Amino acid sequence: EAGNSKLMRKCSLPLTAVAEVDILVTDVAYFEIKDNKFILKETFAPYTKEYVLETAGDADVEVAADFKQITLD
């Protein structure tokens, strides 16, 4: 659904493998997945960590200690 977060705490679709994803890169941000949480490592301008946290849906998202805002020139 356009505009809605696709990050989910639990997948509602059939899985071919469980816990096989370590990283996730979207047009908004880069995440690492650890202990069933999305660790926000980077956001891509113009998106901010606040935007990601506000729109994360029901997913558990934590901001990494070494978080970076990336600007592409």
Side-chain angles (χ1 to χ4, degrees):
E1 298 175 32
N4 294 337
S5 175
K6 307 301 187 283
L7 297 178
M8 305 294 290
R9 183 174 294 163
K10 184 176 180 181
C11 186
S12 60
L13 300 171
L15 299 175
T16 56
V18 177
E20 292 298 320
V21 175
D22 296 323
I23 64 170
L24 173 69
V25 180
T26 72
D27 58 332
V28 175
Y30 163 67
F31 301 88
E32 291 182 356
I33 297 141
K34 294 185 179 179
D35 300 323
N36 295 318
K37 295 180 183 176
F38 292 92
I39 310 300
L40 178 61
K41 299 289 285 182
E42 300 174 351
T43 57
F44 310 122
Y47 300 103
T48 63
K49 65 182 172 187
E50 291 80 15
Y51 173 83
V52 172
L53 294 172
E54 289 171 9
T55 60
D58 75 344
D60 292 324
V61 177
E62 291 183 7
V63 178
D66 60 346
F67 168 82
K68 296 182 212 169
Q69 172 77 39
I70 303 297
T71 302
L72 302 176
D73 296 322

